């Protein structure tokens, strides 16, 4: 017997966590088999982790559960019965909800308004007095609390994430898929939210399926784990019965991980980059950076930590020439520096940006063309008369693809068709293939599997060991702790805290990120 979606309803306090099972789910896109006979079982009231490298099929699987895709073959069972889920609305009506990696709230509306408009049955004229009373009563049934009358753009990242989860509970979704739910949170916020969710699953009120790359979250909060590799289910079990090494082997098989580069000792380093009184505005003309003072020496990684939205993106844009500064100076080796192509070449400034397909790569161009962006106007690719030599461009790309282990069908594949980790490797190949004196990297491992993370972090450390001055902007505190020699915390556009990495710890940095210092 199958069940179809009923009308979506709002919060029902008597509801309990529901179970979901996929039976032999296969999803094909033309000749590409994204999922191959995948069967997983998420028990009612459990906290279930879904692991896998980029391109393993995790996103495709949850999109099949949520009705974004229709499986080519196989069944989806909800509470023990086959479910017909033709679209996300049908999934919601069955009690299935998803909290995405990026916030889906309306920034200018209050928390209360975001909750009310999320319903399918919003009346034409809203009785806000009654709605507020109902929302206050609803919050009394949940472990989450957020201020209802503050616009979302005035909430902290942790409060926004709580509101995203509250929205699903308010809509009576009792099976929640969480996609990297802690990627924009401080360590304390992450532990608080995962701990509260764990309490809801332990009491049987909720079922969680969480996509994550952080083994610390899996071992700390999950009951069960399923691992996908190459579109197939390759392992599952109780987290208590599995070690991190067991889960790692399921994810990558016999592939050998890149070993982390040892941190080399440096002598008295030269000052390479100095930011003095740097100010800049955001896209609305409001202050985004306020009197940023920072020094980066040769053979040093300065890691900038902070919750997303505290000026890190604007700082990277100023340093890469994508945003004008309103005041202040940038000096390289004591000389005034402007981030234009000629000076980037002269001072050997290279970079790796987050979401490279949106920032530093052209999706519709080939891998070879993207790799050539820094060298297309130089020999041997360019002739004395300015003509390009495509054969030499492809030859250079083949060498770098091999050296940086970029998985691509050919040099002529459009870069948008590569997995996230391989796009990052291709950009790394472009940016690190020559002599590097200054390296500016922003969230270089965001959303990547741990094999790609190990590769990229090792490359960054090697550049540091070879004498490069590295400015690392990262929302992942583990990345800061692993790579940085000095840590600085950005808060509301200012440097709020600095310390040698050996004189601080996760808690101190996390408190500074939350404004507690």
């Amino acid at each position: 017997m199958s069940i179809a979606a009923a009308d979506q309803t709002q919060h029902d306090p008597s509801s309990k966590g529901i179970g979901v099972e996929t039976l032999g789910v296969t999803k094909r896109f033309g000749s590409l088999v994204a999922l191959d006979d995948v069967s997983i079982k998420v028990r009612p009231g459990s906290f279930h982790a879904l692991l896998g490298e980029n391109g393993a099929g995790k996103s495709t699987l949850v999109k099949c559960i949520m009705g974004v895709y229709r499986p080519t073959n196989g069944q989806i069972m909800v509470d023990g019965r086959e479910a017909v889920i033709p679209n996300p609305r049908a999934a919601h009506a069955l009690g299935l909800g998803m909290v995405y990696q990026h916030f889906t709230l309306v920034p200018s509306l209050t928390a209360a308004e975001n909750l009310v408009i999320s319903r399918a049955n919003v009346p034409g004229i809203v009785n806000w007095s009654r709605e507020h009373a109902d929302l206050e009563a609803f919050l009394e049934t949940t472990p989450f609390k957020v201020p209802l009358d503050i616009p979302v753009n005035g909430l902290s990242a942790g409060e926004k994430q709580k509101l995203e989860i509250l929205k699903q509970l308010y809509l009576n979704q009792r099976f929640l898929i969480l996609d990297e739910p802690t990627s924009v949170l401080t360590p304390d916020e992450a532990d608080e939210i995962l701990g509260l969710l764990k309490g809801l699953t332990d009491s049987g009120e909720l079922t969680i399926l969480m996509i994550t790359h952080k083994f610390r979250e899996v071992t700390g909060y999950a009951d069960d784990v399923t691992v996908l590799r190459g579109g197939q289910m390759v392992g599952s079990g109780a987290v208590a019965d599995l070690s991190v090494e067991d889960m790692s082997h399921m994810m990558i098989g016999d592939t050998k991980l890149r070993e982390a580069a040892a941190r080399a000792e440096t002598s008295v380093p030269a000052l390479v980059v100095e930011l003095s009184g740097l100010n800049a505005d955001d896209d609305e003309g409001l202050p985004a950076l306020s009197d940023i003072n920072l020094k980066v020496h040769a053979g040093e990684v300065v890691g900038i930590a902070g919750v997303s939205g505290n000026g890190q993106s604007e700082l990277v844009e100023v340093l890469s020439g994508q945003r004008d500064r309103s005041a202040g100076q940038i000096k390289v080796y004591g000389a005034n520096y402007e981030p234009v192509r000629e000076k980037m070449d002269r001072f050997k400034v290279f970079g790796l940006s987050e979401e490279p397909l949106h920032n530093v790569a052209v999706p519709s161009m080939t891998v070879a063309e993207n790799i050539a962006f820094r060298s297309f106007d130089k020999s041997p690719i360019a002739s004395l008369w300015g003509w390009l030599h495509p054969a030499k461009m492809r030859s250079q790309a083949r060498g770098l693809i091999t050296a940086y282990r970029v998985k691509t069908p050919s040099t002529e594949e459009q870069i948008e068709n590569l997995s996230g980790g391989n796009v990052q490797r291709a950009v790394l190949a472009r940016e690190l293939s020559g002599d590097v004196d200054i390296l500016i990297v922003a969230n270089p491992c965001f959303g990547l599997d741990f094999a790609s993370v190990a590769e990229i972090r090792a490359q960054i450390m090697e550049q540091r060991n070879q004498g490069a001055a590295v400015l690392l902007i990262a929302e992942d505190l583990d990345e800061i702790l692993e790579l940085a020699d000095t840590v600085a915390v950005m808060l509301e556009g200012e440097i709020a805290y600095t310390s040698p990495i050996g004189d601080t710890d996760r808690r101190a940095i996390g408190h500074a990120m939350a404004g507690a210092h």
Side-chain angles (χ1 to χ4, degrees):
M1 178 184 295
S2 66
I3 54 176
D7 288 338
Q8 188 176 7
T9 58
Q10 66 185 90
H11 177 65
D12 175 3
S14 66
S15 296
K16 298 290 184 180
I18 57 179
V20 170
E21 186 174 3
T22 68
L23 301 175
V25 167
T26 296
K27 179 60 181 177
R28 297 187 182 92
F29 298 94
S31 60
L32 172 67
V33 181
L35 290 176
D36 185 7
D37 194 29
V38 172
S39 298
I40 73 167
K41 184 173 184 177
V42 183
R43 298 180 292 110
S46 68
F47 198 125
H48 198 112
L50 182 62
L51 300 178
E53 294 188 273
N54 292 98
K58 305 185 300 297
S59 295
T60 303
L61 180 63
V62 299
K63 286 178 179 178
C64 286
I65 294 172
M66 289 302 300
V68 177
Y69 296 149
R70 294 292 299 272
T72 307
N73 296 107
Q75 298 172 300
I76 297 173
M77 312 291 288
V78 177
D79 261 0
R81 293 184 290 173
E82 183 182 356
V84 178
I85 312 177
N87 51 53
R89 183 183 177 91
H92 297 160
L94 292 169
L96 313 181
M98 184 162 178
V99 176
Y100 294 89
Q101 198 169 32
H102 300 287
F103 298 129
T104 61
L105 304 165
V106 182
S108 60
L109 299 184
T110 66
E113 290 165 342
N114 269 275
L115 290 173
V116 170
I117 68 168
S118 68
R119 299 203 314 255
N121 61 343
V122 183
I125 298 176
V126 178
N127 183 333
W128 284 108
S129 177
R130 187 177 66 188
E131 294 290 355
H132 273 272
D134 289 346
L135 287 172
E136 292 288 357
F138 160 64
L139 288 181
E140 291 301 315
T141 70
T142 76
F144 296 97
K145 299 293 182 287
V146 296
L148 291 174
D149 294 324
I150 295 178
V152 164
N153 56 19
L155 300 179
S156 69
E159 289 172 325
K160 291 175 186 175
Q161 191 68 293
K162 288 179 182 178
L163 183 56
E164 290 279 16
I165 295 167
L166 280 172
K167 182 170 69 174
Q168 300 302 320
L169 300 180
Y170 178 68
L171 296 174
N172 199 29
Q173 320 295 214
R174 291 291 150 175
F175 180 95
L176 293 191
I177 298 171
L178 308 179
D179 187 3
E180 299 283 355
T182 64
S183 60
V184 297
L185 305 182
T186 69
D188 287 347
E189 288 173 332
D191 287 337
E192 179 194 11
I193 287 177
L194 292 179
L196 291 171
L197 288 171
K198 176 66 172 169
L200 289 174
T201 60
D202 286 346
S203 66
E205 296 294 321
L206 193 64
T207 306
I208 298 286
L209 176 61
M210 178 176 71
I211 298 173
T212 182
H213 291 112
K214 298 179 181 179
F215 286 120
R216 186 173 69 88
E217 295 178 353
V218 177
T219 57
Y221 299 98
D223 303 306
D224 305 312
V225 63
T226 294
V227 181
L228 301 184
R229 185 171 78 238
Q232 297 180 321
M233 197 279 281
V234 294
S236 64
V239 171
D241 297 334
L242 297 168
S243 67
V244 170
E245 290 71 22
D246 293 332
M247 291 184 278
S248 300
H249 187 263
M250 289 181 198
M251 287 176 65
I252 65 172
D254 295 325
T255 300
K256 188 176 181 180
L257 279 180
R258 173 74 175 267
E259 292 185 6
R263 187 185 301 273
E265 293 298 324
T266 57
S267 57
V268 180
L271 177 59
V272 177
V273 178
E274 183 175 9
L275 310 181
S276 302
L278 204 64
N279 287 261
D281 295 334
D282 63 16
D283 293 341
E284 280 72 46
L286 300 174
L289 300 177
S290 179
D291 293 328
I292 299 293
N293 297 297
L294 205 63
K295 295 179 179 180
V296 190
H297 298 81
E300 178 187 30
V301 177
V302 173
I304 296 183
V307 176
S308 176
N310 277 279
Q312 302 98 313
S313 296
E314 288 84 0
L315 178 60
V316 173
E317 289 168 359
V318 167
L319 296 177
S320 60
Q322 296 174 304
R323 182 179 296 274
D324 292 332
R325 61 183 184 274
S326 56
Q329 288 184 317
I330 306 172
K331 290 190 174 182
V332 173
Y333 295 114
N336 288 331
Y337 171 79
E338 295 296 333
V340 295
R341 182 179 176 84
E342 182 273 326
K343 289 200 172 181
M344 287 180 179
D345 278 350
R346 175 181 163 192
F347 289 111
K348 300 176 182 177
V349 180
F350 295 85
L352 180 63
S353 175
E354 65 179 313
E355 299 187 89
L357 289 178
H358 298 291
N359 291 300
V360 293
V362 179
S364 60
M365 294 180 72
T366 69
V367 174
E369 290 166 340
N370 273 278
I371 287 177
F373 281 169
R374 296 295 295 253
S375 56
F376 70 90
D377 54 351
K378 302 178 179 68
S379 178
I381 295 177
S383 69
L384 292 175
W385 300 277
W387 297 103
L388 297 182
H389 294 292
K392 292 180 179 179
M393 183 188 298
R394 289 191 292 269
S395 177
Q396 172 186 277
R398 280 193 292 270
L400 291 174
I401 285 168
T402 299
Y404 285 80
R405 295 188 284 187
V406 182
K407 294 179 181 177
T408 177
S410 75
T411 61
E412 300 310 289
E413 184 74 15
Q414 289 184 348
I415 199 168
E416 65 184 345
N417 295 332
L418 274 57
S419 70
N422 285 300
V423 172
Q424 288 285 58
R425 284 190 173 105
V427 175
L428 269 178
R430 179 182 80 206
E431 298 295 308
L432 302 185
S433 55
D435 293 331
V436 178
D437 282 357
I438 300 168
L439 182 62
I440 301 169
V441 287
N443 293 310
C445 303
F446 183 77
L448 301 185
D449 59 81
F450 76 100
S452 297
V453 167
E455 175 78 27
I456 290 170
R457 289 181 182 173
Q459 294 277 6
I460 292 170
M461 183 60 75
E462 285 180 1
Q463 292 299 323
R464 177 259 186 208
N465 290 343
Q466 292 168 17
V470 181
L471 184 62
L472 168 68
I473 296 94
E475 292 164 25
D476 185 345
L477 191 47
D478 290 330
E479 195 155 80
I480 298 286
L481 293 169
E482 178 179 335
L483 297 176
D485 299 284
T486 302
V487 61
V489 173
M490 285 194 71
L491 181 67
E492 297 180 352
E494 300 179 356
I495 299 294
Y497 173 83
T498 58
S499 174
I501 201 70
D503 296 340
T504 189
D505 57 22
R506 176 186 295 275
R507 181 169 294 277
I509 299 170
H511 286 174
M513 291 166 63
H517 264 270

